[in-house]
Amino acid sequence: MLAVNISFRSQGTPIKDASIPENAPTDLFLDKHRDFIAAYGAKKDDYEYVLTEYLRLNGVYWGLTVMDLMGALDRMNKDEVLEFVRQCQQPCGGFSASIGHDPHLLSTLSAVQVLCLYDALDVVRVDGVVEFVKSLQQDDGSFYGDKWGEVDTRFSFCAVACLALLDRLNAINVDKAVDFVMQCMNFDGGFGCRPGSETHSGQIYCCVGMLSIVGQLHRINADTLGWWLCERQLPSGGLNGRPEKLPDVCYSWWVLSSLKIIGRLHWINKDKLIKFILATQDDETGGFADRPGDMVDPFHTLFGIAGLSLMGQANIKPVNPVFCMPEDVIRRIGVKPQLL
């Protein structure tokens, strides 16, 4: 069970943090993580698997990407995966999270990423994907996530990332897309989901990543933003998404990738963060949890491994900080996001 530690800053303000047990893992159990992911997709009758149907295509991306980073993509059933992705493409061109669901930009990006991992874009209608993404851009440059009209800077990133991977960025108004994202920048250098929204690490990754893809990182104040990001590190070594929140392994990706893109990765304590990430492993079943002692899952397993990759873990493949895909895949595609 999660242990929560409350410590105090010098001014007496309490800090929420997670505790790392004395017997927490300190080694990386790659073989067990490979087994955990390989077995996860095979348990199609499990309650947990059925319950997460609305995330299925995203989950396929998480699992395949982490297996590739761990050098074990060949353990996954390529034909089964590609057939599932193909069946998730809807008449409008977008992809649904699972067969029979509505299409959304989030699942569409996951589909494109999976197809790129396998170099298999020819199994779907690429022109349909482009038209779907294009149809969701609004007059102010923002993007709806789907036909229901929610606006979020996550969707700006998804749209631009999809089209960049397909070499079709010219299908949208990039200048307007950048203008909208810049309207979401706050005084602290960070970004929210819409203009005036609170800065959040996940939104920062989306906005910084989007600006990286289109070569507009000069619009960011890297020192101001880098300072906000490095302040997300807590005494445990873990990173949180915003002030006064508990650390979570997934922010080992959202925060670190942003720091990597803006050239400020050295501003955090890598040793302490590595210790925190390794402590979230289950040394019996494999997999990573959000915090030490919690249940493991594929989502946190990907971002735990990806965070370790960003910090130079030797036995993990290099990960691209913008697309969260193996660097060798991004090089093969020929996409060259900007880094400071």
Side-chain angles (χ1 to χ4, degrees):
M1 180 174 292
L2 168 67
V4 177
N5 177 50
I6 302 293
S7 57
F8 291 84
R9 297 186 179 91
S10 59
Q11 300 92 335
T13 306
I15 304 172
K16 294 180 182 178
D17 200 357
S19 295
I20 299 179
E22 290 185 4
N23 63 345
T26 57
D27 296 320
L28 178 61
F29 305 110
L30 277 182
D31 285 340
K32 290 184 178 181
H33 301 321
R34 294 180 184 115
D35 292 343
F36 169 72
I37 295 295
Y40 193 88
K43 301 175 182 177
K44 294 181 173 58
D45 294 330
D46 280 9
Y47 175 72
E48 183 180 359
Y49 185 89
V50 174
L51 192 67
T52 56
E53 182 177 331
Y54 73 103
L55 291 172
R56 184 71 65 240
L57 193 45
N58 306 102
V60 170
Y61 155 71
W62 301 331
L64 292 177
T65 300
V66 73
M67 287 296 267
D68 200 351
L69 291 173
M70 295 188 296
L73 184 59
D74 59 350
R75 291 185 59 177
M76 311 304 279
N77 189 324
K78 177 180 177 180
D79 291 340
E80 180 182 354
V81 167
L82 293 181
E83 178 58 21
F84 173 73
V85 173
R86 188 189 65 78
Q87 291 186 56
C88 287
Q89 188 170 29
Q90 303 301 311
C92 65
F95 290 83
S96 54
S98 192
I99 299 168
H101 289 231
D102 289 338
H104 197 285
L105 264 178
L106 292 172
S107 45
T108 298
L109 174 57
S110 289
V112 170
Q113 290 171 305
V114 167
L115 294 168
C116 288
L117 286 174
Y118 280 127
D119 195 14
L121 286 169
D122 58 326
V123 306
V124 301
R125 294 176 288 108
V126 170
D127 286 344
V129 181
V130 174
E131 287 303 313
F132 174 71
V133 174
K134 179 180 178 181
S135 72
L136 294 172
Q137 187 170 28
Q138 305 305 301
D139 291 341
D140 65 354
S142 66
F143 284 85
Y144 288 169
D146 57 17
K147 65 181 180 180
W148 302 112
E150 181 186 7
V151 171
D152 191 309
T153 47
R154 291 179 301 157
F155 309 148
S156 296
F157 172 77
C158 289
V160 168
C162 272
L163 296 179
L165 291 171
L166 299 174
D167 194 23
R168 297 288 293 275
L169 266 176
N170 60 348
I172 59 169
N173 189 322
V174 173
D175 290 340
K176 279 193 171 183
V178 170
D179 288 344
F180 173 76
V181 165
M182 293 309 302
Q183 291 177 40
C184 300
M185 179 186 278
N186 293 319
F187 71 93
D188 52 20
F191 295 84
C193 59
R194 289 179 293 275
S197 295
E198 176 188 11
T199 293
H200 189 281
S201 299
Q203 307 299 147
I204 288 173
Y205 162 77
C206 291
C207 294
V208 171
M210 183 270 199
L211 294 172
S212 168
I213 293 170
V214 300
Q216 295 290 312
L217 287 179
H218 63 276
R219 294 171 174 261
I220 293 173
N221 186 323
D223 285 342
T224 301
L225 176 56
W227 182 253
W228 190 92
L229 288 167
C230 75
E231 283 197 319
R232 305 280 60 75
Q233 188 162 36
L234 297 169
S236 66
L239 301 165
N240 63 15
R242 52 197 171 104
E244 310 307 328
K245 296 296 182 179
L246 288 170
D248 187 320
V249 156
C250 71
Y251 295 111
S252 302
W253 174 256
W254 312 119
V255 173
L256 279 192
S257 59
S258 300
L259 287 169
K260 175 70 174 179
I261 293 169
I262 64 173
R264 303 297 189 274
L265 187 58
H266 58 287
W267 284 13
I268 57 102
N269 187 317
K270 291 184 182 180
D271 291 339
K272 292 185 69 174
L273 179 54
I274 290 170
K275 180 180 178 181
F276 176 83
I277 294 174
L278 294 177
T280 68
Q281 299 174 101
D282 189 314
D283 56 6
E284 295 183 4
T285 67
F288 290 75
D290 55 352
R291 287 175 282 275
D294 283 359
M295 290 293 294
V296 298
D297 59 69
F299 175 85
H300 290 95
T301 300
L302 167 60
F303 294 123
I305 290 291
L308 292 172
S309 176
L310 283 176
M311 291 184 288
Q313 184 76 32
N315 47 356
I316 300 173
K317 292 171 66 172
V319 66
N320 183 274
V322 176
F323 291 97
C324 196
M325 297 168 65
E327 279 284 12
D328 58 351
V329 175
I330 297 303
R331 285 197 299 269
R332 168 167 52 77
I333 297 169
V335 185
K336 297 179 179 179
Q338 178 188 20
L339 302 180
L340 294 183

